[in-house]
Amino acid sequence: MDRTTIDVAGMAEGMVPGQIRYGELLLGAGTPYQWRKLKGWETLPPQDSGNVPRSGDHGAHLGRLLAQTRTIGLDEVIVRAEAYRFGAVVEALNDGTPLAIDEQPLLVHLDDRGPLLAWARVTNRDVPVEPAYAIGTVTGAALEWEATDPRRYTPAVQHAETGLPEPCLPWHTHPDTGRPRGVPASTGNVTAYNLGKAPTHPVVIFRGPVDTPALINRTTGRRLEYRVALEPGEQLTVDTFAGTATLPDGESLLTDASLASWPEQTFTLDPGDNELEFRAAPSVPADPRAAVALRWRSAHW
């Protein structure tokens, strides 16, 4: 599933500091579910180290650090409501935190930064039943989530789009010399901003007519390129997180990637500005209908 099409920003609207939303379940301020401790959220996830020990010297050769799964724990949860409806309140908590195959949006709003998003699923729920349960109070409850993608995201989806490079329009000419001046109708270049400190995976959509569409990230040096001719209005969607490249009918074009193309899952937007170029086969004149569009969320550790 393309996660950039899910309206998580709408789910975040109205949240206040101290609230956590998991799917439809709201926890924290203003709810029957209060909490005192959140673990694993403002913590770096564990990492796999690519360091290799030096054979004849102290230390190691520096390698990559790859983040592992993030575990998020909500401890010291207090559930409180009137005794006559306490069963329904506990049932709502149970229904909102089931064992599931798919991950759901987990939104955490702690402070003035606003909510951040992770995709997670529940791995533990503990609601202790003690004497106070009979009067509508549970203390010491706990929830735990596991996020296979350890990054946290801004809920809002960002967008960028550009066409192929075009020559200057006729009216962009000098009145005396007739030479082109000014800027072309499209440069084929666009800047994508990742406002976080972690690389993020965009969804890239090539729209025809275009032959051998390519998107180059000059900031990272990585490239997506496919040996295919897209018809007018035809779209090739590349989900770099899922590692897929599909046409609207579901046909995969992964095997049509050129030798210059990087594996889809390695094509990310670095923190900060990413300078992108949309290019195509030089033997075919640029069509103004051809375009590339990107969708992404800024990512944070």
Side-chain angles (χ1 to χ4, degrees):
M1 177 186 294
D2 175 4
R3 292 177 171 178
T4 63
T5 62
I6 299 175
D7 182 18
V8 179
M11 297 173 61
E13 288 183 3
M15 290 184 67
V16 300
Q19 288 186 336
I20 296 172
R21 181 182 294 279
Y22 178 61
E24 298 301 319
L25 178 65
L26 186 64
L27 308 164
T31 77
Y33 317 105
Q34 305 298 307
W35 56 273
R36 292 177 176 170
K37 184 181 295 184
L38 178 64
K39 299 187 300 184
W41 187 253
E42 290 293 344
T43 306
L44 282 176
Q47 305 108 41
D48 290 321
S49 174
N51 290 351
V52 177
R54 293 178 180 270
S55 59
D57 205 345
H58 305 290
H61 297 284
L62 188 64
R64 296 181 67 194
L65 292 177
L66 297 177
Q68 300 175 6
T69 295
R70 181 186 293 274
T71 300
I72 303 146
L74 196 64
D75 292 344
E76 300 181 29
V77 177
I78 300 171
V79 185
R80 182 177 288 119
E82 296 85 354
Y84 72 88
R85 69 183 187 96
F86 192 64
V89 168
V90 173
E91 184 177 10
L93 176 64
N94 293 345
D95 290 346
T97 55
L99 291 179
I101 295 176
D102 296 324
E103 294 175 319
Q104 295 189 63
L106 176 65
L107 287 153
V108 178
H109 189 167
L110 294 181
D111 49 41
D112 57 282
R113 294 172 295 176
L116 287 178
L117 161 73
W119 298 88
R121 61 181 179 177
V122 172
T123 54
N124 187 38
R125 179 186 66 234
D126 182 21
V127 181
V129 179
E130 297 174 342
Y133 190 100
I135 60 172
T137 300
V138 164
T139 59
L143 296 169
E144 185 177 86
W145 293 269
E146 187 176 81
T148 54
D149 179 356
R151 291 165 292 186
R152 302 174 299 162
Y153 296 91
T154 53
V157 176
Q158 297 167 248
H159 299 83
E161 183 169 345
T162 187
L164 287 171
E166 298 177 19
C168 293
L169 294 175
W171 49 271
H172 282 152
T173 56
H174 193 280
D176 298 327
T177 65
R179 294 179 179 175
R181 67 178 184 179
V183 296
S186 172
T187 64
N189 301 337
V190 68
T191 302
Y193 304 94
N194 177 4
L195 305 176
K197 296 298 183 182
T200 190
H201 285 87
V203 172
V204 179
I205 302 171
F206 295 105
R207 185 167 63 245
V210 61
D211 186 9
T212 317
L215 181 66
I216 304 99
N217 187 337
R218 290 300 179 192
T219 301
T220 65
R222 296 175 182 178
R223 179 188 193 101
L224 294 174
E225 183 177 82
Y226 298 90
R227 297 168 298 179
V228 62
L230 298 177
E231 299 297 327
E234 189 175 21
Q235 292 188 163
L236 169 60
T237 301
V238 183
D239 187 333
T240 63
F241 180 76
T244 58
T246 55
L247 294 176
D249 62 4
E251 180 185 354
S252 175
L253 295 187
L254 288 178
T255 57
D256 292 283
S258 74
L259 293 176
S261 190
W262 286 63
E264 283 74 12
Q265 289 178 313
T266 67
F267 190 91
T268 57
L269 303 178
D270 270 4
D273 298 350
N274 290 259
E275 303 300 329
L276 306 174
E277 296 179 354
F278 177 36
R279 299 294 185 263
S283 58
V284 180
D287 191 301
R289 294 171 293 176
V292 65
L294 295 90
R295 299 192 301 263
W296 74 95
R297 289 186 174 95
S298 293
H300 309 259
W301 289 122

